[in-house]
Amino acid sequence: MAIRRPNVVISDDESGYDPDVLCIPNHYAEELEKVFIPHGLIMDRTERLPGDVMKEMGGHHIVALCVLKGGYTFFADLLDYIKALNRNHDKSIPMTVDFIRLKSYCNDQSTGDIKIIGGDDLSTLTGKNVLIVEDVIDTGKTMQTLLPLVKQYNLKMVRVASLLVKRTPWGVGYSPEFVGFEIPDKFVVGYTLDYNEFFQDLNHVCVISEADKVKYKA
């Protein structure tokens, strides 16, 4: 049985940080409402997660399945910390990686229509421990679509790690096993999370203004 472990909860009234006091690319300096989660905090929390992953999944070869594009940076950093754990502990397990690309957003709204638009043959997951790595879970509909697709390959175990989980009234009740941060229902960008392909090159997780949502609208 999967264990839901504690995570960092960010309150609804979190004020965040003034972008002027942190390192922000100049081309976004005037466009961010606030820095919501600084990069250093993201890295510290990500470093903590592999211990939880290994306790639950470390008995068998793990396939880490990255959900592109937004999950890529979190995926890469998480795997670096898992590899460090493997190097520095007596007990270690082999790990391989795979990728799948999904699309569910138009501008800042989830369409509810989840499309798989890229990825390898999922039959290679058969009989494996699979760790799905996501950037953000809001309604949970993406996982509601993806999990049955991977489970049909008779996995030994499947677990989900997400950097962010939103508290939203539109959720379907799904919660991943490993969570970095639980956040209010705000549209966030940065750390590879994008808005119509923009803002992927921010290190921090940030909130953009309503005016800039209009500016970068597809």
Side-chain angles (χ1 to χ4, degrees):
M1 182 177 178
I3 300 171
R4 297 299 193 279
R5 300 182 183 275
N7 58 74
V8 178
V9 178
I10 297 178
S11 66
D12 289 347
D13 58 358
E14 170 62 44
S15 60
Y17 302 85
D18 187 332
D20 288 341
V21 304
L22 296 171
C23 294
I24 301 292
N26 285 335
H27 50 278
Y28 294 137
E30 303 300 322
E31 302 178 347
L32 301 177
E33 184 177 296
K34 61 183 174 182
V35 174
F36 209 47
I37 311 175
H39 183 252
L41 183 55
I42 296 169
M43 297 304 290
D44 194 279
R45 178 64 184 139
T46 304
E47 185 177 6
R48 178 65 179 81
L49 288 174
D52 294 337
V53 172
M54 297 296 277
K55 284 177 185 176
E56 190 159 334
M57 303 186 70
H60 191 264
H61 179 168
I62 296 175
V63 178
L65 180 64
C66 177
V67 180
L68 297 171
K69 296 181 181 177
Y72 176 73
T73 302
F74 176 52
F75 178 80
D77 288 337
L78 182 64
L79 259 62
D80 279 346
Y81 286 126
I82 292 176
K83 288 185 286 185
L85 208 60
N86 269 339
R87 291 194 301 270
N88 295 304
H89 286 75
D90 293 336
K91 183 180 178 181
S92 64
I93 52 96
M95 173 171 284
T96 52
V97 301
D98 211 336
F99 301 88
I100 189 169
R101 187 175 176 191
L102 308 177
K103 184 174 179 63
S104 62
Y105 268 85
C106 179
N107 298 314
D108 64 340
Q109 300 296 318
S110 176
T111 63
D113 181 19
I114 314 301
K115 298 178 181 178
I116 297 178
I117 57 176
D120 293 333
D121 180 4
L122 294 178
S123 66
T124 59
L125 304 177
T126 301
K128 304 286 178 50
N129 275 357
V130 176
L131 176 66
I132 299 173
V133 182
E134 257 279 29
D135 54 352
V136 57
I137 291 175
D138 44 26
T139 64
K141 291 180 180 178
T142 297
M143 283 301 122
Q144 198 176 51
T145 299
L146 180 58
L147 284 171
L149 291 177
V150 298
K151 286 179 177 178
Q152 67 182 318
Y153 295 105
N154 299 313
L155 307 182
K156 186 178 181 68
M157 178 189 294
V158 60
R159 299 290 185 263
V160 177
S162 183
L163 175 66
L164 306 174
V165 171
K166 290 184 182 180
R167 295 187 297 274
T168 171
W170 314 113
V172 296
Y174 172 77
S175 179
E177 290 76 21
F178 309 108
V179 178
F181 302 87
E182 179 186 304
I183 67 171
D185 190 14
K186 297 180 182 293
F187 188 79
V188 292
V189 297
Y191 195 64
T192 316
L193 284 79
D194 74 290
Y195 179 69
N196 295 329
E197 307 296 332
F198 292 96
F199 300 100
Q200 293 176 329
D201 49 342
L202 282 169
N203 282 336
H204 316 292
V205 170
C206 301
V207 177
I208 59 174
S209 67
E210 291 300 319
D212 287 305
K213 285 183 184 179
V214 175
K215 178 179 178 180
Y216 292 103
K217 189 174 182 178

